[in-house]
Amino acid sequence: MHKTLIALAILSTTAAAHADEGMWMPQQLPQVANQLKAAGLALDPAALTKLTEFPMGAIVSLGGCSASFVSPQGLVATNHHCVYGSVAHNSTPERDLLANGFLAKTLGEELPAAPGSRIFVTKAVTDVSQQVITPAVAKLNGKARLDAIEKNTKTIQAECEKDAGHRCTVSSFYGGLEFYLIKQLEIRDVRLVHAPPAGVGKFGGDTDNWMWPRHTGDYGFYRAYVSKDGKAADFSKDNVPYVPQHFLKLAKEGSKEGDFVMVLGYPGRTNRHRLPSEVAYTFDWSYPAFVKSSAESLAIIAETTKDNKDTALKYASQVAGINNYYKNRQGMLDSYAGSDMLARKTAEHEALKQWISADAARKKAYGADIATVEKLIAERDAETKRDYFLSSSKPRLLNTARMLYRLANENAKPDTERKSGYQVRDVPRIKASVAALVRNYDEKVDKALVLNSLAKYAAQPAAQRNAAFDKVMGIKDGMDKAGLQAALDKIYAGSKLGDAATRTAWIDKKPADFKASDDSFIQAAVALYGPDLREEAKEEELAGKLQESYANYMKAKIAYMNSKGQAVYPDANSTLRVTFGQIAGRQPGSDGTDWKAFTTVAGVAAKATGTGEFNAPKAQLDAIKAKDFGKYVDPALKSVPVAYLATLDITGGNSGSAALNSKGEWIGLAFDGTLDSIISDWDFNKAMTRSIQVDLRYILWNMKHVDHADNLLKEMNAE
């Protein structure tokens, strides 16, 4: 066991972490067992460390969202917005599944999910820190260090993946201080089973996003398929539903305020251990720049798709994603503007430096790295600012061509020597991304988005621009928008990559084929290859230095926090975590009123307008009016609960995570947070932070009384 976890064990009786703060790695839970029990967990906390037993064995990742098995036939429950891309992929103007919803009454009616869709079932988590940072690696710095870490990582992953059908990933924790091998069964045949109409699954739309009270039925269902011998396999009509070792059982009783709740899932990224300079850079420049560019992108997509429903459907998922993060980042900026977060982070950092300076041994061990990491972060952030518009000024088909040409060059090497992301294990993902362009790309929209960014990029002084990119795009000093438009028209017109068959054919071609091509995007990719590699090497030199210094900074911070009796959970990094708390309202909420813990279907009827974001289905409104609630009515609420608040520590990636009660029974799906508390990604606030979950009773009521998904209810033993 690595020393950080040992430190947690020592500190388990004095840890200062609140019961509802912390995204805990499963293997850490015995160290916070007292808090779990005090919060109300009836299960043995040690049971949550066993990834192949109940309930952890039912929890899966979708590679961006969380989900769970909810039947012995591989049925997977997640959020509506997590299956949204697959619904959009299968939608056409003639069969608009986004608007009308989708329900497969039989296995044969289920539809293939969007290309590249995966269900990952975690099988093991192993500490490989000493195998990644060997004594030899510890002596290296810069790119040499990063290359050695990558080599060791690939070796570990390759050995793990000898177990066919599994995806193995070495993930970094505590800023590169520790490394864990995550072994997952990679289910490649994923099918769409059920998604409610947008008037349920996206009810309230962007207006209600991140808001309370909430009335969104944010749920959807996939099914996992494997070959007849139970192995992971590509899509085939001969495949059969996967039989999970464990699946969640529906709660026997409804939830109420004050109940224990825990969420098991794969949170994406948090930044609570960041330095003050990183906080200032993010909130003073990065997030404002993101908000501005997102607003522009949304306006451009709306304008260029307004007269073409098919194109609008192609970009529906992208628009939903941009809108989500646009509101998220703006909400964080609003919270930051009225906070003392930077001052507190600065004071905490100064206290850490004083603690280091107070002891000669600590000063020798950590002092130099604290200064170095701040210098390197400043260098990294300056480069990011310089290249901000460059990254969004490249046409998508040019980026596709660059990816394919890189793949062709990497294919010429032994697999162990190929760049991570271009090994044999990565080819299915690359093929899927190429295939997905059929239903998520349009030249007119892409060109308009690129032109908007390119105009800003081209306005920069030549010294701040990328000379190689300027050359292939035909960009010169002083070009006006008309000139840039003409340059774009020329390079788009000279390519046939817009054709799906043509794109697919390039996947298996050799470098010589690329060099001989007269396709404009292929030619540009070949011309950019050398400069791209040189820029990558510069970035890796900086990243290697930063990894070494940041890891030692985190080592110092952990030692400092341990000295004060504080347990340390790592920032979220898309790996399996557990968070726990209680169902609870808030007094007062951000709008000045007291927030009740639950909303009900009465709120759906009150908000419904019959149009736009609040277009609830007639069948649902009729059932609400008739009080046709069946067994899903809450006696205290005298209605069907829709969503509830909880004091859970979640973030992006937790979407679709199962919410479980004290017995480990399924009681809902996490899908959002409140706008004024999402800054908890950087700065957790116990009083304000609330997660939003869709109540299982609403899911089941809607499936039975509105969508008539009787086949699925029977499968989940909900009848």
Side-chain angles (χ1 to χ4, degrees), residues 53 180 593:
E53 297 185 18
Y180 284 79
T593 65

Side-chain angles (χ1 to χ4, degrees), residues 211-213 586 588-595 676:
M211 306 303 286
W212 187 261
R586 208 177 103 184
S590 59
D591 58 3
T593 65
D594 288 351
W595 285 353
D676 67 334

Side-chain angles (χ1 to χ4, degrees), residues 64-231:
C65 279
S66 302
S68 309
F69 288 120
V70 292
S71 91
Q73 287 83 45
L75 188 66
V76 170
T78 187
N79 285 156
H80 178 270
H81 73 262
C82 295
V83 303
Y84 196 80
S86 292
V87 180
H89 179 79
N90 284 288
S91 290
T92 64
E94 299 73 30
R95 193 189 186 198
D96 190 347
L97 303 183
L98 283 177
N100 302 319
F102 173 74
L103 171 64
K105 288 285 192 177
T106 66
L107 296 180
E109 294 178 1
E110 295 173 359
L111 299 174
S117 297
R118 295 288 188 270
I119 293 173
F120 296 97
V121 187
T122 299
K123 294 296 185 181
V125 178
T126 308
D127 187 346
V128 293
S129 303
Q130 305 304 324
Q131 294 167 253
V132 175
I133 308 293
T134 63
V137 172
K139 297 177 182 178
L140 301 174
N141 55 53
K143 187 177 186 302
R145 183 185 184 90
L146 208 66
D147 288 344
I149 290 173
E150 181 179 325
K151 181 180 179 181
N152 290 344
T153 294
K154 288 190 294 188
T155 299
I156 294 166
Q157 291 173 167
E159 181 63 28
C160 176
E161 288 181 357
K162 286 181 179 178
D163 190 355
H166 289 80
R167 181 79 175 185
C168 300
T169 306
V170 174
S171 294
S172 168
F173 294 76
Y174 300 110
L177 178 62
E178 297 179 4
F179 296 84
Y180 284 79
L181 173 65
I182 318 293
K183 182 179 181 181
Q184 297 173 310
L185 177 67
E186 181 181 14
I187 296 176
R188 306 193 298 274
D189 187 349
V190 181
R191 303 187 196 179
L192 179 65
V193 178
H194 176 44
V200 175
K202 210 172 183 293
F203 185 80
D206 296 313
T207 299
D208 272 5
N209 193 20
W210 303 106
M211 306 303 286
W212 187 261
R214 197 69 177 274
H215 300 86
T216 310
D218 204 342
Y219 67 90
F221 293 87
Y222 279 141
R223 193 182 304 278
Y225 279 79
V226 292
S227 63
K228 289 181 178 178
D229 60 358
K231 304 293 185 183

Side-chain angles (χ1 to χ4, degrees), residues 594-621:
D594 288 351
W595 285 353
K596 295 181 179 179
F598 288 87
T599 58
T600 72
V601 292
V604 175
K607 286 182 176 180
T609 62
T611 60
E613 296 176 320
F614 297 91
N615 187 18
K618 182 180 183 301
Q620 187 188 58
L621 294 176

